[in-house]
């Protein structure tokens, strides 16, 4: 049997239909809260965005000024941003621990390097003293650190520590794309070498 609706009954349904299409106060509040959370997350974000092109910056090594893509292996460059090879004991330990990662990363097609705001001379002395099998590159002035959104803003401006990064390991593909970012919350903590190698193999 075919049912037909009267004009009056159709008109009666219009307000309800319109109301159903309009977002409720609860929905609008939820969307507003979500937007606020996204804004806060962006403000608190440390490091580059995965999937985006890495900043085009140069650092100083024995060969002069180079970009991260200049140093890339077949897959790319693994850049360990650290605070200092001069005064930071946690960084010194990390740099020594990374000796074990250099060869396996190379076999996977990745070039490992370290970057800090230390002078080229300080980095060259540390590399030589510890027989590091990978390069250390100077970002005096912290231009690369700033470009990668890694500067630690909690140190006094103009102090000895001004310009240090939040420690991070950035995987940059040979085409310049940021493939992964590894960070720990505490400045004393560093990503485990096994975790670095596992991620490199998966990318």
């Amino acid at each position: 049997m075919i049912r037909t609706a009267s004009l009056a009954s159709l008109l009666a349904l219009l307000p309800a239909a319109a109301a159903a299409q309009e977002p409720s106060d609860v929905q609008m509040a939820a969307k507003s809260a979500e937007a606020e959370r996204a804004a806060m997350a962006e403000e608190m974000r440390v490091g580059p965005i995965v999937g985006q092109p890495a900043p085009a910056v140069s650092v100083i090594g024995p060969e002069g000024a180079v970009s991260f893509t200049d140093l890339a292996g077949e897959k790319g460059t693994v850049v360990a941003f650290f605070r200092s090879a001069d005064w930071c004991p946690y960084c010194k330990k990390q740099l020594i621990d990374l000796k074990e990662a250099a060869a396996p990363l190379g076999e996977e097609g990745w070039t490992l390097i370290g970057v800090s705001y230390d002078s080229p001379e300080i980095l060259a002395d540390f590399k030589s003293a510890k027989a590091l099998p990978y390069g250390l590159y100077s970002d005096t002035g912290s231009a690369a650190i700033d470009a990668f959104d890694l500067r630690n803003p909690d140190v006094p401006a103009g102090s000895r520590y001004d310009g240090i990064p939040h420690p991070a390991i950035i995987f940059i593909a040979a085409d310049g794309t940021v493939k992964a970012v590894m960070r720990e919350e505490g400045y004393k903590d560093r990503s485990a070498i096994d975790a670095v190698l596992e991620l490199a193999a998966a990318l």
Side-chain angles (χ1 to χ4, degrees), residues 24-195:
S24 67
D25 291 342
V26 173
Q27 290 173 321
M28 292 181 67
K31 288 183 178 180
S32 177
E34 183 178 354
E36 288 182 10
R37 285 194 297 270
M40 290 179 61
E42 177 61 21
E43 185 176 341
M44 296 172 63
R45 178 179 58 81
V46 174
I49 299 174
V50 173
Q52 295 296 312
V57 296
S58 62
V59 289
I60 306 297
E63 63 274 59
V66 293
S67 69
F68 295 144
T69 51
D70 290 336
L71 301 168
E74 182 180 351
K75 285 188 177 180
T77 312
V78 179
V79 185
F81 283 93
F82 61 97
R83 301 182 338 147
S84 176
D86 183 30
W87 51 263
C88 176
Y90 312 104
C91 302
K92 293 179 181 182
K93 181 180 184 304
Q94 178 191 26
L95 295 173
I96 294 170
D97 289 346
L98 282 171
K99 291 170 68 172
E100 300 178 12
L105 286 171
E107 292 171 3
E108 290 287 343
W110 296 97
T111 298
L112 172 65
I113 67 169
V115 173
S116 81
Y117 79 156
D118 292 321
S119 69
E121 294 76 21
I122 287 175
L123 294 177
D125 288 347
F126 186 85
K127 174 178 167 61
S128 175
K130 303 303 180 182
L132 301 184
Y134 58 91
L136 297 182
Y137 290 81
S138 174
D139 182 29
T140 305
S142 303
I145 291 168
D146 286 336
F148 276 76
D149 290 328
L150 288 170
R151 181 187 283 260
N152 186 333
D154 298 327
V155 298
S159 72
R160 176 188 186 187
Y161 311 108
D162 188 15
I164 64 172
H166 290 287
I169 295 179
I170 315 294
F171 287 76
I172 304 172
D175 66 0
T177 304
V178 177
K179 299 296 290 184
V181 177
M182 300 184 75
R183 285 194 61 247
E184 303 295 333
E185 288 303 317
Y187 71 89
K188 297 180 181 180
D189 301 321
R190 299 294 188 274
S191 300
I193 300 304
D194 287 348

